[in-house]
Amino acid sequence: MSAENILLSINKKISKQIVNNKIYVSFENCEIKYGDFLSSCYGIGDTIPEACEDYLKKICNKTLVFNAYSEHRKEITVYSKELYHELDGRRFDAGN
């Protein structure tokens, strides 16, 4: 399974932008929870697959908060062990 497909299995709303010839991807209305703080995050790459893999590595083992300031707030945690064999048959290394 590709990084983009793994991301789509977590959330169907992925934002893609091109800035200075680099592709940036992130989930729409999503932030990463660090204790009591929320921070935005995005993956960067020369191609969409590279940006998706970068984003997947950055959100791995983190708690994601969707729609943080609304009544539809949702928190999920992305665990690397669940992705161990998912990424194109390669060992997934989130750098953690």
Side-chain angles (χ1 to χ4, degrees), residues 7-71:
L7 292 174
L8 288 169
S9 74
I10 297 169
N11 188 322
K12 300 292 184 206
K13 295 182 178 179
I14 299 176
S15 171
K16 300 173 187 169
Q17 299 177 359
I18 299 175
V19 178
N20 296 327
N21 295 323
K22 291 287 187 182
I23 298 171
Y24 290 69
V25 299
S26 65
F27 290 132
E28 291 181 12
N29 302 311
C30 179
E31 297 172 274
I32 295 180
K33 186 175 182 179
Y34 294 100
D36 293 334
F37 299 96
L38 297 175
S39 177
S40 61
C41 178
Y42 46 84
I44 305 169
D46 291 326
T47 65
I48 290 175
E50 284 178 13
C52 287
E53 190 161 338
D54 183 54
Y55 188 56
L56 192 57
K57 288 177 181 179
K58 290 176 179 175
I59 65 171
C60 200
N61 297 318
K62 305 282 189 304
T63 298
L64 307 180
V65 181
F66 294 90
N67 303 305
Y69 305 103
S70 80
E71 60 191 44

